[in-house]
């Protein structure tokens, strides 16, 4: 007879409680109950996929009916154990609630359950995915759970505990299966690889354990897939077999996004796509990396327990520099949105490219997180004294005042005897370079808002009129800042030092933009940027007198 290959997760399914990995808090309790005979009539096993719920249910069904149990474990050699394992004993029934979820299915089960078992001590029903039962089916199940016969036991299993009615929960002993730790999965994989004569390296088993996300069944399925390649299964072999980009390429891609270099990011994505890497897997790795960076920035002292383990500390530390928490949150939202679109998109590569472009340019993200990330960047620039402003001509060299400020009428020489006084001409405005030089010299001594305003011509323009230096500002907010006595005094002292004479500093609201639009684009941002509208609204609200 031809040998039929059996998947590793089926071949190596635990047969005793001692073989179950990572759930000792549950297996010890069940073993003690079997040994002492203090069994419940209903159990509820909850937890994520691949953590051992159905496996423990089958072991418990054999253990309560075993003729020679040992320390709470089934012997797996007596007729009862062998019959239950092979499915020949019909007193132990496994039912999938996903496909048998109607009230009629549960009524049939209830009518059958009242009869005593024919071949074993207890009649056991294992109901998998119990949360899929309908409301009427739950009500029918509740009746027999309230008053069960002594020979009856129910073992319910679910991955979605919140969908199980409270009336069912209160009648069951609940056991919560936790995700299996990566190191426990890696150890089990290495043991099975030795038995199966698979050349699995420690690095390969560690990567498979991380990719399994706490599910041993998933890890065995991945090992089964990688073993088909033959040869040594190391880290690179796992990446190639599963079509993953690997953490090195993901780090390069994240670094391009960090630098806001869309061209480099698209080139790296094209290279990965050409090598056959799965687009969804690439975005998934970026999500894992962004999540690790955010966790490290938010909880730096938590250690590696909160991290995925796919990236070394040096890589995370290098990438985290210059990335704020607001930026990382915005990245994660953009990446998750793109992952959701991939499922329905007919052009997954295009979705990934658009995602990378949005990651590299926050102005393309109109979401609240995108605006928050851009505001955070603006605040950082203001704190550092850097502000986005239109390009200006180069300032004259120190001491080179090619166009000196005009003298006032009081300083002009008197007319000669018999000569008519000259007509008073309007004094010409100083060259832009003069005011720019003065503003640059005064800025270091000013506080943050004034230092930002004074060097931006869209906020403040200085004009010397006789013995007065008039600061023309574009709105009430900038007038309030620039008209502070401390600010005017600093500007006055700077002007006296650079121009060699005392000037009275006054502040006036009203200025003309070079394009004729007063106060247009005060932050130097591109037209159409949504942030302009937000900031303009903030200025208007700040200038309003609110009456309650």
């Amino acid at each position: 007879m031809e040998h039929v290959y059996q998947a590793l997760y089926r071949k190596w399914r635990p047969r005793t409680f001692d073989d179950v990995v990572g759930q000792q808090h549950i297996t010890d309790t069940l073993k003690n109950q079997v040994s002492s005979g203090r069994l419940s009539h209903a159990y509820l096993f909850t937890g994520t996929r691949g953590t051992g719920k159905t496996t423990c249910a089958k072991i418990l069904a054999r253990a309560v009916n075993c003729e020679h149990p040992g320390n709470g474990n089934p012997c797996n050699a007596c007729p009862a154990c062998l019959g239950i394992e092979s499915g020949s004993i019909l007193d132990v029934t496994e039912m999938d609630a996903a496909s048998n979820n109607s009230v009629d299915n549960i009524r049939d089960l209830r009518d059958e359950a009242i009869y005593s078992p024919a071949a074993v001590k207890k009649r056991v029903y294992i109901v998998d995915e119990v949360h899929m039962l309908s409301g009427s089916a739950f009500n029918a199940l509740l009746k027999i759970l309230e008053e069960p016969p002594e020979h009856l036991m129910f073992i319910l299993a679910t991955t979605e505990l919140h969908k199980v009615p409270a009336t069912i929960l209160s009648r069951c002993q609940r056991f919560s299966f936790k995700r299996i730790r990566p190191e426990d999965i890696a150890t089990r994989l290495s043991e099975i690889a030795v038995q199966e004569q698979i050349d699995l390296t420690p690095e390969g088993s560690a990567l498979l354990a991380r990719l399994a996300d706490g599910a041993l069944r998933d890890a065995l399925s991945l090992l089964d897939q990688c073993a088909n390649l033959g040869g040594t299964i190391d880290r690179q072999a796992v990446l190639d077999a599963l079509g993953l980009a690997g953490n090195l390429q993901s780090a390069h891609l994240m670094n391009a996004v960090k630098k806001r270099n869309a061209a480099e990011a698209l080139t790296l994505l094209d290279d990965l796509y050409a090598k056959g890497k799965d687009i969804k897997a690439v975005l998934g790795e970026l999500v894992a990396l962004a999540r690790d960076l955010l966790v490290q920035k938010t909880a730096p002292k938590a250690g590696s327990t909160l991290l995925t383990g796919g990236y070394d500390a040096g890589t995370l530390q290098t990438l985290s520099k210059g990335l704020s928490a607001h930026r990382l949150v915005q990245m994660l939202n953009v990446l998750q949105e793109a992952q959701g679109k991939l499922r329905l998109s007919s052009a997954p590569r295009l979705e990934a490219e658009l995602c990378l472009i949005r990651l590299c340019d926050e102005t393309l993200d109109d979401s609240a997180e995108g605006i928050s990330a851009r505001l955070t960047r603006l605040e950082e620039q203001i704190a550092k004294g850097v502000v986005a402003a239109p390009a200006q001509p180069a300032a004259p060299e120190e001491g080179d005042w090619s166009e000196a400020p005009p003298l006032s009428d009081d300083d002009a020489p008197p007319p000669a005897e018999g000569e008519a006084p000259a007509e008073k001409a309007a004094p010409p405005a100083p060259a832009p370079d003069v005011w720019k030089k003065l503003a640059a010299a005064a800025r270091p001594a000013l506080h943050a808002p004034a230092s930002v305003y004074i060097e931006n011509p869209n906020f403040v323009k200085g004009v010397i009129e006789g013995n007065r230096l008039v600061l023309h500002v574009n709105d009430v907010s900038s007038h309030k800042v620039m008209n502070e006595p401390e600010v005017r005094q600093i500007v006055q002292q700077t002007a006296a030092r650079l121009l060699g004479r005392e000037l009275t500093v006054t502040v006036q609201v009203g200025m003309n933009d070079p394009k004729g639009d007063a106060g247009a684009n005060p932050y130097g941002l591109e037209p159409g940027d949504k942030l302009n509208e937000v900031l303009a609204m903030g200025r208007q609200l700040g200038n309003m007198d609110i009456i309650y």
Side-chain angles (χ1 to χ4, degrees), residues 193-488:
V194 171
Q195 298 293 327
E196 292 289 326
Q197 298 181 351
I198 298 174
D199 188 5
L200 178 64
T201 65
E203 294 78 12
S205 63
L207 179 57
L208 288 172
R210 181 175 66 84
L211 294 174
D213 193 24
L216 183 55
R217 182 176 63 230
D218 289 8
L220 288 172
S221 297
L222 294 175
L223 176 62
D224 217 348
Q225 182 177 345
C226 295
N228 292 327
L229 291 177
T232 301
I233 303 177
D234 55 11
R235 187 179 188 85
Q236 190 58 46
V238 173
L239 296 174
D240 293 338
L242 303 181
L244 301 176
N247 59 1
L248 183 61
Q249 292 91 333
S250 299
H252 288 322
L253 195 55
M254 179 62 75
N255 190 48
V257 171
K258 171 187 171 182
K259 296 186 296 183
R260 296 180 173 85
N261 191 336
E264 181 182 351
L266 292 177
T267 302
L268 289 171
L269 179 65
D270 178 70
D271 182 57
L272 294 172
Y273 185 79
K275 291 179 179 178
K277 305 301 182 183
D278 182 60
I279 291 292
K280 186 176 180 181
V282 173
L283 294 187
E285 290 177 3
L286 281 179
V287 168
L289 178 53
R291 182 253 179 202
D292 278 358
L293 291 172
L294 181 60
V295 168
Q296 188 188 53
K297 186 170 288 291
T298 306
K301 297 182 180 180
S304 60
T305 55
L306 295 179
L307 304 178
T308 59
Y311 303 90
D312 58 88
T315 300
L316 293 177
Q317 187 175 5
T318 302
L319 287 174
S320 64
K321 293 179 180 178
L323 286 175
S324 65
H326 289 85
R327 179 96 194 276
L328 289 169
V329 170
Q330 182 254 345
M331 284 174 143
L332 286 168
N333 281 311
V334 171
L335 286 166
Q336 288 180 319
E337 181 182 346
Q339 282 184 311
K341 292 180 179 179
L342 280 180
R343 300 187 186 96
L344 303 176
S345 176
S346 58
R349 181 180 178 182
L350 176 61
E351 291 291 346
E353 290 171 341
L354 291 175
C355 172
L356 290 178
I357 292 173
R358 290 176 63 194
L359 289 176
C360 293
D361 187 358
E362 298 101 315
T363 62
L364 298 177
D365 184 8
D366 292 336
S367 67
E369 291 78 12
I371 294 177
S372 177
R374 289 149 57 198
L375 283 172
T376 301
R377 185 184 178 193
L378 182 61
E379 289 172 352
E380 292 173 352
Q381 290 178 336
I382 291 175
K384 295 177 182 178
V386 179
V387 62
Q392 297 292 330
E397 295 295 330
E398 187 73 31
D400 179 18
W401 296 87
S402 56
E403 294 191 28
L407 297 176
S408 66
D409 294 338
D410 298 332
D411 296 331
E417 187 175 349
E419 182 180 353
E423 293 184 4
K424 294 182 179 180
D433 286 347
V434 176
W435 166 245
K436 182 179 179 182
K437 189 74 174 180
L438 196 156
R443 184 189 64 79
L446 298 173
H447 55 65
S451 66
V452 172
Y453 286 150
I454 196 168
E455 279 199 302
N456 192 328
N458 292 308
F459 282 124
V460 181
K461 292 180 182 177
V463 177
I464 298 176
E465 300 176 356
N467 286 333
R468 290 195 313 155
L469 172 58
V470 183
L471 305 183
H472 294 275
V473 297
N474 69 341
D475 57 19
V476 177
S477 297
S478 51
H479 179 276
K480 182 178 179 181
V481 173
M482 299 304 299
N483 200 37
E484 294 179 7
E486 179 185 355
V487 173
R488 285 190 285 107

Side-chain angles (χ1 to χ4, degrees), residues 142-221:
L142 179 62
K143 182 60 179 176
I144 196 168
L145 285 179
E146 285 179 334
E147 300 174 357
E150 292 184 2
H151 63 264
L152 186 60
M153 176 185 288
F154 279 95
I155 307 175
L156 314 179
T158 179
T159 56
E160 300 184 38
L161 180 64
H162 61 280
K163 293 184 179 180
V164 181
T167 51
I168 299 292
L169 296 177
S170 63
R171 289 166 173 82
C172 300
Q173 281 193 12
R174 180 170 36 172
F175 292 89
S176 297
F177 286 70
K178 61 185 180 181
R179 293 181 185 273
I180 306 175
R181 296 184 303 173
E183 52 267 31
D184 293 337
I185 295 178
T187 301
R188 182 61 175 166
L189 289 178
S190 299
E191 294 172 353
I192 294 175
V194 171
Q195 298 293 327
E196 292 289 326
Q197 298 181 351
I198 298 174
D199 188 5
L200 178 64
T201 65
E203 294 78 12
S205 63
L207 179 57
L208 288 172
R210 181 175 66 84
L211 294 174
D213 193 24
L216 183 55
R217 182 176 63 230
D218 289 8
L220 288 172
S221 297

